[in-house]
Amino acid sequence: MAVYKRTYTTYAGPLTPPRTRFLVLPRYCYERLFQSRFLTGFLVACFFFPLGCAGYIYLVNNLSVFTSMGVPAPEFLKIDSSFFRFLMNFQGAMAYILTALIGPSLIAPDLANNALPTYFSRPFSRTEYVIGKVSVLFILLSIITWVPGVLLFILQVSQAGGDWLSNNWFILRAVVLGQVAWILLLSLLSVALSAWVKWKVVAGALILGVFGIGAGLAGIINSILRTDYGAMIDLSRIMYTIWSDQLNIETSTGLEPFEAWLSFIAVCVICLLMLERKIRPKEIVR
Amino acid sequence: MTGFALWQRQILTIVSLEWKKTLFAKRGLWVYALAFLPALLFGINAIRVQNQRDAQMEIQRAAPNAAAVTAAIQTGMSVDDVTRKLVDDKVPFTKFKRRKKFEFVRYSDGTNTWELMFVEGKLTEKRNRDEARLSDSIRAFAGAFQYFFLRLAVFFGCVGIFMNLFRGEMLDQSLHHYLLAPVKREVLMVGKYLAGLVATIAIFCTSAALQFALMLGAHSSREVNEYLAGEGWAHLVSYLGVTALGCVGYGSIFLAAGIIMKNPLIPATGILFWEGMNWFLPTMLKQLSIIYYLQALCPVVAPLSGDIPEPLKLLATTAAPIAAPIAVMGVFAAAGMVLTFASIYVRKLEINYGAD
Amino acid sequence: MATNEEIVFDNVSRFYGEVLGVNRVNLSIPPGITSLVGPNGSGKTTLMNLMTGLVRATRGSISVRGIRPDESEKLFRILGYCTQFDSFPRGYTGFQFVHASLMLQGWDAKVAEAKAWQAIEKVNLVEPAKRKVAAYSKGMRQRIRLAQAIAHQPQVLILDEPLNGLDPLVRSETIALFREQAERGAHVIVSSHVLHEVDMISDQVILLANGYVVAEGAIRGVREEISDRPHQIVIRCDKPSEMASKIFQFDHVVEARIHPDFQGILVKTTNSSQFHKLLNRLVMEGINIETIAPADDGVNSLYEYLIGDEGAQK
Ligand SMILES: Nc1ncnc2c1ncn2[C@@H]1O[C@H](COP(=O)(O)OP(=O)(O)OP(=O)(O)O)[C@@H](O)[C@H]1O
Ligand SMILES: [Mg+2]
């Protein structure tokens, strides 16, 4: 009988700290994502509008051109909550497109290739997996939504001064809270949907369909049942209501802010439940 | 057996093999959900309206003065005045606030349901929200049919079912079984198309008929009989016909897309966008979409949905209405053309599993 | 040139984008059992898919008993193909699977049913035939696919690795089945990785490597041709001329050429195993050998892989 000397040892090198271990997923995801030139290009394009806005803010605050010519500055040239709502809408739409591009490839391929057991056979928990996957989108979307929003706000404050700030500080809250809510919804939704189907394309279709069909369904619920509550399943309208409320702008979306928040929380909870159901370290045999 | 008779038999075989697969597939459940959601809504509505009618009867009994109260309520009155009047005459009502400024009072006087809108405490508008009128229901049906059922439910149902016929079997790695049978590829395509049609038409026409029945279910038999004696049956037949035509048109497009494209999402989004833009296209281009013909065949034209901003509404072009036979022919011609085009590709189709 | 009894490949190439599937294949295969043998990725499946029109030739033309592969309506009346894909239409039972493909032949349901049972009996699956294919074992799935391929008694039977996953008993039964089909005058084309698995039953073999046909013919001929072919060996040593004179005394050494730098020698031999024994003796006799390397490693190791030891013994 041959007796072999045990020569193997376990890995004894440094480990990533447990708290930030989930960041491993975004790190590798970004490496793969940015290989696509189209995606990188799109991300760059997402900054054009905020840059334009920065120019605009500067211009509006330096209207000495008008006054020097003796013409009063036009009324519509001012930075207020409507301006920021427009910015949020635009960047929010960009975030949506980016989600539709990236979202489907988050979990569906892992399911299709039965990669979950591989993840969970490492010191890596289900929660960390989900947080990691969500943070892939969340970090990326932050960079194009509330971060430029806050920077523009700071620019405006620096240009317009403390007076403007004391009257409009709520805009800062609205930009951060509103956009974070939106991108949280987007990332959770796309991660949950992409965990629910194996095929990437179907996951993509679902992400698009949830918004389109949700809006359509909301419309017929309202028209058939003669109510306004149908809007509670129209995700884009929910968000619009929340933003408008935060920015103190009157709108007629048919929803109260309270109802919109309720729907928002419900959707998030449903997404989490879907993830809880699907992210299991078991092999799926057809 | 050769030629046409053989093809016929082969097509029959393919249809009988395929239709069950699409109709009873577990992964196709969402199609049912999509198709029958409007029917569910109409059902809920029927129950709701019945309840409301009962409540009105109750009010007629309990508050005989209610009609007089309605006459007495004038714009400009304050919330307190109005509610006091209602309370005095024992008319039940509900009051709720919207966005600080607005207040609403809703009540029924036994024949009509009213919604009173107060802005900053003053009554500004009296809205009759009578839900029991058949004409309103017919309009609601038309809207739901055109904006949800045709454009979303039938559309996505066809995306799911018809793309699955070829692309789905590719992904399942089972398409080669068909390609190894002594069946011309074109015959196979037609067989699969017909199988898809059987399934989609069965699902969506059933749903449309059910919606129609439930929509009528909300109303008194007298009203319903009057409607059916008039144009009711013709409406139902047109709705069913339009649904079936929608399946014919969209089915052909997505069958072709499933054969030609690797990623079916791209054509689906593209076509959804194109069909959605249809209102705003010049007539020439309108004719290149399926929804144009379907719209023309709908018996009750629903107005452009209220959500669209005013400036865009102005852009909407109204094309001269086209005659029904031409519209029907248009859809069939489009489907025929698309299928002919797809047949070029299906002849070149290769089994290349896994490389996608 | 194409008689209607043969399967003819005329200068056929197939590329998958940049990847070579098969290249410049010229073959004409007579009826009987023909084996396609080659390592993984050598192009066996590609060749079979080309014959059946599942993939199309990039260049060249193919005729299967006078029928082009894209004439599916005619071709699959006389051809049955058992693919390497181990997947089935959803939810079918074994019987339904065979029956459905017979129905597509255009036969009556009754006739098709009778023929389906006949084929199922042939592969010994009568009892499980009523169960769902999804619940079959690997060998059962292999056999039900075989049943489907032979159900319409085709003139050409193409089987991609048909013996995979079969136990020895079933294997010999299956081989008997091939024989039976060949005796009717049908083409039976079988693919395999291992030559000695099929050489006993084959009337001829076609050896494939890297997308090329490297040998074809009756099994004996192929074998002799390969073992007769001289092996080339490069030896680096200190006294090449002395060594050359010594080894030239042996019959199996065909050629010995001294390397221009006088540090090595290239030997051609028809019997490499004897030559290696000889080398051992030379080392004993005081020649210092640094390295020994086969000069045509790729081809040699391929043949060794394909033919195994049996080839060397003959
Ligand atoms: N769909 C495809 N896309 C790209 N390359 C392919 C495809 N199918 C086959 N190939 C390539 O063609 C070559 C031949 O493959 P083929 O499947 O014919 O091999 P094989 O002899 O059947 O192998 P095995 O014994 O493993 O079944 C391989 O290099 C393979 O990578
Ligand atoms: Mg193979």
Side-chain angles (χ1 to χ4, degrees):
Chain A
M1 192 209 262
V3 177
Y4 296 105
K5 192 166 177 253
R6 216 184 87 174
T7 51
Y8 63 86
T9 49
T10 50
Y11 175 72
L15 295 174
T16 40
R19 263 177 219 196
T20 53
R21 191 161 299 155
F22 70 91
L23 288 175
V24 171
L25 290 186
R27 203 161 70 224
Y28 283 95
C29 254
Y30 292 144
E31 208 170 279
R32 183 171 49 84
L33 286 177
F34 289 121
Q35 275 168 8
S36 154
R37 219 173 296 156
F38 174 74
L39 209 71
T40 319
F42 184 81
L43 200 66
V44 171
C46 286
F47 292 107
F48 290 167
F49 187 70
L51 277 180
C53 286
Y56 180 74
I57 287 176
Y58 182 80
L59 201 74
V60 169
N61 285 296
N62 295 280
L63 284 174
S64 46
V65 197
F66 284 99
T67 33
S68 69
M69 288 192 301
V71 187
E75 179 60 16
F76 65 88
L77 281 182
K78 64 173 201 266
I79 305 296
D80 57 3
S81 48
S82 299
F83 170 82
F84 275 94
R85 185 168 70 169
F86 191 76
L87 174 77
M88 284 167 79
N89 263 330
F90 193 90
Q91 291 303 98
M94 291 304 234
Y96 173 60
I97 298 172
L98 200 63
T99 309
L101 289 175
I102 298 174
S105 61
L106 282 181
I107 296 190
D110 283 353
L111 289 179
N113 299 317
N114 269 328
L116 290 190
T118 319
Y119 278 110
F120 298 136
S121 61
R122 298 197 154 65
F124 200 68
S125 70
R126 287 168 55 195
T127 328
E128 277 170 322
Y129 178 80
V130 171
I131 293 177
K133 290 286 181 183
V134 168
S135 64
V136 170
L137 265 178
F138 192 83
I139 295 172
L140 210 56
L141 296 182
S142 292
I143 301 175
I144 66 166
T145 52
W146 61 268
V147 173
V150 169
L151 291 179
L152 286 177
F153 184 84
I154 294 172
L155 177 69
Q156 167 67 13
V157 170
S158 73
Q159 295 283 320
D163 255 8
W164 190 88
L165 177 64
S166 59
N167 288 328
N168 292 290
W169 64 271
F170 65 89
I171 290 179
L172 182 65
R173 185 196 60 194
V175 167
V176 176
L177 192 68
Q179 296 280 41
V180 166
W182 173 236
I183 63 178
L184 190 69
L185 184 79
L186 283 179
S187 356
L188 268 180
L189 203 66
S190 66
V191 168
L193 290 175
S194 102
W196 205 251
V197 288
K198 271 191 184 175
W199 298 342
K200 243 166 76 173
V201 273
V202 183
L206 274 179
I207 292 172
L208 292 177
V210 160
F211 284 83
I213 292 187
L217 207 55
I220 63 165
I221 288 177
N222 284 348
S223 83
I224 294 176
L225 299 181
R226 276 94 160 173
T227 89
D228 282 337
Y229 291 109
M232 286 180 80
I233 60 167
D234 183 345
L235 296 177
S236 45
R237 204 181 285 209
I238 291 172
M239 253 13 257
Y240 193 69
T241 312
I242 291 179
W243 292 352
S244 302
D245 172 53
Q246 291 289 317
L247 287 166
N248 291 343
I249 304 175
E250 288 282 334
T251 42
S252 52
T253 53
L255 273 184
E256 290 293 285
F258 159 71
E259 292 158 358
W261 279 112
L262 203 68
S263 301
F264 170 77
I265 292 168
V267 173
C268 290
V269 169
I270 291 171
C271 288
L272 288 176
L273 287 179
M274 282 170 75
L275 284 167
E276 151 72 20
R277 239 338 274 281
K278 273 288 164 177
I279 305 298
R280 294 270 161 92
K282 69 176 179 208
E283 194 143 345
I284 297 154
V285 182
R286 266 199 302 166
Chain B
M1 190 168 16
T2 49
F4 204 68
L6 174 68
W7 295 347
Q8 219 172 347
R9 171 169 279 186
Q10 286 177 331
I11 287 177
L12 270 178
T13 309
I14 295 169
V15 172
S16 70
L17 289 175
E18 286 286 315
W19 73 274
K20 274 180 275 178
K21 246 196 282 176
T22 25
L23 214 49
F24 300 126
K26 210 165 150 200
R27 52 157 90 161
L29 274 181
W30 63 272
V31 178
Y32 286 91
L34 206 55
F36 285 95
L37 262 172
L40 180 72
L41 290 178
F42 279 111
I44 294 173
N45 190 49
I47 295 168
R48 200 179 55 91
V49 172
Q50 288 292 352
N51 285 346
Q52 202 171 38
R53 196 167 299 131
D54 291 348
Q56 289 191 339
M57 299 296 253
E58 177 62 29
I59 288 165
Q60 280 180 8
R61 210 178 43 75
N65 274 349
V69 177
T70 300
I73 293 175
Q74 301 291 337
T75 50
M77 287 169 76
S78 74
V79 186
D80 287 341
D81 288 348
V82 170
T83 47
R84 209 173 322 112
K85 259 195 192 322
L86 290 170
V87 171
D88 286 348
D89 283 297
K90 302 197 180 63
V91 183
F93 63 93
T94 51
K95 194 171 88 169
F96 54 95
K97 275 195 170 190
R98 291 247 133 169
R99 249 172 282 117
K100 291 162 203 148
K101 236 166 68 180
F102 299 95
E103 256 179 294
F104 291 87
V105 169
R106 209 179 266 172
Y107 75 97
S108 170
D109 62 9
T111 40
N112 290 309
T113 304
W114 296 95
E115 188 173 87
L116 310 175
M117 184 168 82
F118 298 85
V119 179
E120 278 155 0
K122 291 270 174 294
L123 177 59
T124 48
E125 204 183 327
K126 262 170 89 177
R127 261 186 260 162
N128 185 349
R129 287 185 59 114
D130 192 4
E131 287 135 7
R133 262 195 315 235
L134 180 59
S135 58
D136 283 350
S137 282
I138 292 172
R139 202 157 335 109
F141 184 89
F145 185 82
Q146 284 180 34
Y147 292 109
F148 183 79
F149 196 64
L150 268 191
R151 280 165 198 253
L152 290 171
V154 173
F155 183 90
F156 279 106
C158 285
V159 170
I161 288 178
F162 283 89
M163 281 204 182
N164 207 25
L165 289 175
F166 276 88
R167 191 54 50 186
E169 281 217 56
M170 279 293 203
L171 290 168
D172 275 350
Q173 312 208 330
S174 58
L175 187 61
H176 64 275
H177 292 299
Y178 273 117
L179 301 191
L180 293 177
V183 182
K184 269 190 183 306
R185 298 267 178 101
E186 294 87 341
V187 172
L188 173 66
M189 187 184 76
V190 171
K192 284 207 165 225
Y193 176 62
L194 291 179
L197 274 189
V198 169
T200 41
I201 290 179
I203 295 173
F204 288 107
C205 283
T206 313
S207 165
L210 194 63
Q211 287 171 46
F212 198 77
L214 289 171
M215 182 266 286
L216 294 182
H219 299 280
S220 67
S221 52
R222 188 184 50 78
E223 267 181 311
V224 171
N225 285 336
E226 223 166 75
Y227 175 52
L228 290 182
E231 50 199 353
W233 286 113
H235 281 185
L236 176 62
V237 170
S238 334
Y239 279 126
L240 293 183
V242 171
T243 307
L245 271 182
C247 298
V248 169
Y250 290 129
S252 67
I253 291 178
F254 294 121
L255 183 83
I259 293 171
I260 299 167
M261 308 283 287
K262 283 221 172 76
N263 184 348
L265 197 62
I266 297 165
T269 348
I271 292 165
L272 185 66
F273 194 67
W274 177 255
E275 302 272 302
M277 275 198 342
N278 185 266
W279 279 102
F280 313 110
L281 293 175
T283 317
M284 255 270 292
L285 292 177
K286 266 183 204 256
Q287 288 168 356
L288 287 180
S289 67
I290 300 286
I291 198 77
Y292 171 68
Y293 300 102
L294 299 183
Q295 199 105 53
L297 287 169
C298 285
V300 178
V301 175
L304 199 54
S305 142
D307 291 344
I308 295 174
E310 280 306 321
L312 274 185
K313 272 188 189 165
L314 292 178
L315 284 176
T317 51
T318 41
I322 42 171
I326 297 178
V328 175
M329 291 310 294
V331 174
F332 276 108
M337 251 150 39
V338 172
L339 287 182
T340 314
F341 182 67
S343 73
I344 300 171
Y345 282 84
V346 83
R347 234 174 289 152
K348 289 195 221 150
L349 192 69
E350 291 192 339
I351 292 296
N352 199 1
Y353 302 146
D356 311 335
Chain C
M1 118 204 146
T3 67
N4 274 1
E5 285 297 297
E6 293 193 333
I7 298 174
V8 180
F9 282 77
D10 181 18
N11 203 19
V12 174
S13 303
R14 164 71 205 205
F15 297 89
Y16 297 99
E18 301 275 281
V19 180
L20 170 68
V22 294
N23 200 5
R24 291 201 222 116
V25 174
N26 284 294
L27 283 174
S28 79
I29 307 172
I33 302 183
T34 304
S35 297
L36 290 177
V37 184
N40 286 137
S42 54
K44 304 181 294 292
T45 303
T46 305
L47 219 52
M48 292 181 156
N49 285 348
L50 282 166
M51 268 185 255
T52 50
L54 289 192
V55 303
R56 298 151 68 85
T58 315
R59 243 177 281 135
S61 66
I62 303 166
S63 130
V64 178
R65 291 201 169 205
I67 303 172
R68 275 183 293 119
D70 58 356
E71 298 173 282
S72 54
E73 201 179 283
K74 277 195 211 157
L75 181 69
F76 294 107
R77 279 197 193 290
I78 64 150
L79 187 148
Y81 180 19
C82 175
T83 60
Q84 71 175 5
F85 306 117
D86 197 16
S87 49
F88 294 83
R90 262 161 205 274
Y92 276 26
T93 65
F95 169 75
Q96 281 172 337
F97 174 62
V98 180
H99 187 243
S101 80
L102 287 173
M103 288 296 289
L104 289 174
Q105 294 272 343
W107 288 335
D108 250 20
K110 278 270 156 52
V111 181
E113 197 173 331
K115 288 203 184 244
W117 282 119
Q118 231 174 351
I120 289 169
E121 245 163 66
K122 276 221 172 98
V123 297
N124 276 334
L125 277 181
V126 175
E127 187 260 328
K130 288 274 175 209
R131 278 193 275 141
K132 290 253 157 85
V133 179
Y136 280 15
S137 76
K138 181 171 166 61
M140 284 155 89
R141 289 203 298 272
Q142 187 77 271
R143 271 142 69 198
I144 200 73
R145 286 193 281 125
L146 190 62
Q148 187 231 23
I150 61 169
H152 57 293
Q153 285 154 335
Q155 288 303 299
V156 181
L157 190 58
I158 301 181
L159 307 156
D160 203 350
E161 297 174 23
L163 300 176
N164 250 10
L166 300 185
D167 63 48
L169 211 65
V170 179
R171 188 180 283 239
S172 58
E173 279 172 21
T174 311
I175 289 173
L177 192 80
F178 300 163
R179 281 249 166 73
E180 185 192 317
Q181 301 287 327
E183 272 153 25
R184 300 196 277 120
H187 278 88
V188 179
I189 300 179
V190 176
S191 80
S192 175
H193 300 126
V194 193
L195 185 64
H196 67 246
E197 183 179 74
V198 287
D199 68 351
M200 305 303 286
I201 56 165
S202 309
D203 297 318
Q204 71 157 355
V205 290
I206 296 166
L207 299 189
L208 288 169
N210 303 322
Y212 288 89
V213 174
V214 291
E216 69 166 305
I219 180 73
R220 175 125 335 137
V222 170
R223 211 172 248 166
E224 271 156 17
E225 192 179 312
I226 289 170
S227 52
D228 283 351
R229 200 187 137 101
H231 298 217
Q232 301 190 32
I233 299 165
V234 177
I235 301 164
R236 307 289 294 179
C237 59
D238 54 353
K239 296 169 223 161
S241 38
E242 187 188 334
M243 179 162 176
S245 65
K246 279 194 172 156
I247 59 173
F248 243 131
Q249 298 158 11
F250 297 89
D251 277 350
H252 55 81
V253 176
V254 189
E255 186 186 333
R257 209 177 334 136
I258 295 169
H259 198 268
D261 66 0
F262 288 98
Q263 294 294 311
I265 182 170
L266 178 87
V267 183
K268 277 193 187 172
T269 167
T270 52
N271 191 332
S272 60
S273 53
Q274 276 202 20
F275 180 75
H276 283 285
K277 279 187 205 137
L278 172 67
L279 274 182
N280 282 342
R281 247 182 38 222
L282 293 178
V283 175
M284 308 281 241
E285 288 172 12
I287 294 177
N288 277 328
I289 295 178
E290 270 174 53
T291 58
I292 308 169
D296 46 4
D297 194 30
V299 184
N300 254 342
S301 57
L302 170 71
Y303 290 150
E304 236 142 66
Y305 164 80
L306 291 175
I307 311 290
D309 282 333
E310 284 170 82
Q313 279 156 20
K314 292 213 168 165

